[in-house]
Amino acid sequence: MKKLCVLLLLICSNSLFAQKTIVDTINSQKLNEDREIKISLPPSYDKNKTQKYPLLVLLDGDFLFEPFYGTLSYGYYWDDLPEVIIVAISQNKNNERETDCMTDADTGLPSEKGEDFFEFIGMELIPTIQKNYRTAPFRIVAGLDVTAGFMNCYLYKDDPIFNAYISLSPELPTGMEEQIPERLAAIQKRIFYYHCTSDGDLKKMRTRIQAMDEAIKKISKPTLNYRYEDFKGASHYSLVPHAIPSALYQIFSVYQPISTTEFQEKIAILPEGYVDYLIAKYDVLEKELGLKLQIRMNDFKAIEAAIIKNKAYNEFDLLAQLAEKNYPKTMLADYEMAQMYEKKGEIAKAVKTCMRAYQLEEVGDLTKEMMINRADELKATLPKKGQKVEEPVIEETPVEEVPTETPAETPTEEKKQE
């Protein structure tokens, strides 16, 4: 029975994070043929009717779809990676990958059918997906060897249609190891670029990939997010399952919830501005990835901890305003205010705010029972009716012993509480 329950739980969990996959065909005028594509929609696509999602275009979709799908599904489960729309292009039916990626031997630019395929992606495929699905303006492209080299041609445009490039052991067309670094240095928009090789790669390919890496490393600009990896003990094909998660986590690093490391090294050390840090984190998500997301409850908790750790209690007011914007009708905003009143010693206000929170919707681990219990605990610390509040006894220093240059000291709030 116990094994059956575990099995059912796993099935339910998988269904919650499963993407809806559609096999479709695009009638391409550029290619003068029908081209099969596989479209995978995010688990929340039907539920979140207004949410837009980044677009991941996979060349070599016949064999790259599954490893990308698996990595993304794992990332969704832990909320480490955002949900994306995957579009995988079939190129293996009639060995299309070689003719799709034809380039000129002298210039390295798309030629013959390669030129048609280049235009098919930019002028037919992407517009069709944008028309029929809710895509964010952030686009990623990925390929292996010949398709990885070919996809770099989109960087020759002044305004590339892709924001991020995952180039898996690229077979570089003529002159590309010099031209791509030049283009990455010249392009004004923010670009994410990942490429890799392995010690088991073909020597001719590996040498050129390494040369391109050396040139790109010399570029210093904030708008280029660059990573190169050289895998040890891997072959040309076995590097793929190693590289995919590494590339996706590089591109979407800003998406991840606040971790212990981020809290300790970036937030807790701030002298102030903890709520501003949280706002900026989600602003970057919207500007860079086109994702307008509700702030996670986990991230609210991290900022609460920083406020308490640094005794910046007035920032609870700002956090409450942010909670009201992100979780209206819930008790989160009042919970934050109650914490501020309690920490500042305004217990009656804290009790009142907890009672108001009790009447609102539960959210995360904040429950009505928790709010009423906290209100009762705080009430117990209040003086009973008719009972005088005992003022702290302050021993006065004889006037004659106080130097005339020293002004009389006014006890701080902390000393009064002591």
Side-chain angles (χ1 to χ4, degrees), residues 39-50:
I39 304 166
S40 184
L41 299 179
S44 69
Y45 189 84
D46 291 332
K47 181 180 178 182
N48 297 337
K49 298 296 184 181
T50 60

Side-chain angles (χ1 to χ4, degrees), residues 60-71:
D60 282 324
D62 306 273
F63 54 80
L64 285 184
F65 175 82
E66 292 297 338
F68 270 95
Y69 177 93
T71 300

Side-chain angles (χ1 to χ4, degrees), residues 297-312:
M297 289 294 294
N298 176 78
D299 292 348
F300 269 100
K301 287 183 173 297
I303 300 305
E304 288 170 19
I307 290 172
I308 294 171
K309 178 181 176 64
N310 293 284
K311 299 182 180 179

Side-chain angles (χ1 to χ4, degrees), residues 62-167:
D62 306 273
F63 54 80
L64 285 184
F65 175 82
E66 292 297 338
F68 270 95
Y69 177 93
T71 300
L72 285 163
S73 295
Y74 182 83
Y76 300 159
Y77 185 89
W78 298 109
D79 197 24
D80 271 350
L81 296 174
E83 294 179 308
V84 305
I85 295 174
I86 305 173
V87 176
I89 305 171
S90 176
Q91 293 182 271
N92 212 27
K93 190 171 290 185
N94 299 306
N95 198 30
E96 292 122 331
R97 70 191 307 264
E98 297 294 333
T99 54
D100 283 347
C101 299
M102 291 180 67
T103 56
D104 186 272
D106 295 322
T107 66
L109 297 174
S111 64
E112 300 182 40
K113 192 183 178 185
E115 187 174 359
D116 296 332
F117 185 69
F118 183 89
E119 293 182 347
F120 159 71
I121 292 175
M123 301 174 68
E124 294 181 324
L125 175 68
I126 291 178
T128 298
I129 298 301
Q130 287 177 318
K131 180 181 178 181
N132 294 298
Y133 302 98
R134 300 191 306 275
T135 60
F138 190 82
R139 305 187 195 107
I140 312 164
V141 63
L144 172 68
D145 53 55
V146 66
T147 60
F150 181 83
M151 76 180 195
N152 283 322
C153 293
Y154 289 101
L155 287 167
Y156 293 153
K157 296 284 187 179
D158 289 333
D159 185 18
I161 61 173
F162 293 104
N163 308 86
Y165 299 75
I166 301 175
S167 181

Side-chain angles (χ1 to χ4, degrees), residues 120-343:
F120 159 71
I121 292 175
M123 301 174 68
E124 294 181 324
L125 175 68
I126 291 178
T128 298
I129 298 301
Q130 287 177 318
K131 180 181 178 181
N132 294 298
Y133 302 98
R134 300 191 306 275
T135 60
F138 190 82
R139 305 187 195 107
I140 312 164
V141 63
L144 172 68
D145 53 55
V146 66
T147 60
F150 181 83
M151 76 180 195
N152 283 322
C153 293
Y154 289 101
L155 287 167
Y156 293 153
K157 296 284 187 179
D158 289 333
D159 185 18
I161 61 173
F162 293 104
N163 308 86
Y165 299 75
I166 301 175
S167 181
L168 306 170
S169 185
E171 186 176 329
L172 300 172
T174 303
M176 190 166 274
E177 63 266 48
E178 295 91 17
Q179 293 165 358
I180 290 303
E182 291 174 1
R183 293 303 305 143
L184 291 174
I187 293 169
Q188 297 300 308
K189 71 189 292 184
R190 185 163 180 78
I191 295 291
F192 295 78
Y193 193 88
Y194 175 93
H195 69 143
C196 63
T197 183
S198 68
D199 55 9
D201 230 335
L202 295 175
K203 186 175 181 180
K204 183 172 70 172
M205 292 173 57
R206 178 175 166 80
T207 300
R208 297 183 66 200
I209 293 168
Q210 290 174 325
M212 188 167 78
D213 168 59
E214 289 300 320
I216 297 175
K217 280 179 179 175
K218 296 176 183 177
I219 302 171
S220 177
K221 56 188 297 190
T223 54
L224 176 61
N225 186 317
Y226 173 71
R227 185 172 185 180
Y228 165 77
E229 288 188 290
D230 189 350
F231 293 101
K232 306 303 178 186
S235 69
H236 174 71
Y237 296 107
S238 67
L239 67 78
V240 171
H242 296 285
I244 289 174
S246 186
L248 290 173
Y249 275 85
Q250 171 213 350
I251 293 168
F252 292 125
S253 61
V254 70
Y255 173 84
Q256 296 170 30
I258 294 173
S259 64
T260 302
T261 302
E262 183 178 2
F263 176 82
Q264 292 175 344
E265 297 181 359
K266 295 183 178 181
I267 302 174
I269 61 174
L270 294 173
E272 60 183 9
Y274 311 103
V275 178
D276 288 341
Y277 180 96
L278 184 59
I279 293 171
K281 180 180 176 74
Y282 281 80
D283 281 348
V284 169
L285 271 175
E286 185 171 359
K287 290 174 184 175
E288 291 193 2
L289 306 183
L291 292 172
K292 191 172 180 63
L293 300 177
Q294 185 181 47
I295 296 176
R296 302 175 181 92
M297 289 294 294
N298 176 78
D299 292 348
F300 269 100
K301 287 183 173 297
I303 300 305
E304 288 170 19
I307 290 172
I308 294 171
K309 178 181 176 64
N310 293 284
K311 299 182 180 179
Y313 304 135
N314 286 333
E315 288 213 25
F316 273 121
D317 192 359
L318 298 174
L319 195 60
Q321 294 175 38
L322 200 59
E324 184 64 38
K325 183 178 178 181
N326 281 265
Y327 294 90
K329 300 181 180 179
T330 74
M331 58 179 62
L332 182 59
D334 283 319
Y335 168 74
E336 305 295 3
M337 290 300 294
Q339 288 201 87
M340 182 184 75
Y341 292 135
E342 179 183 349
K343 295 299 182 183

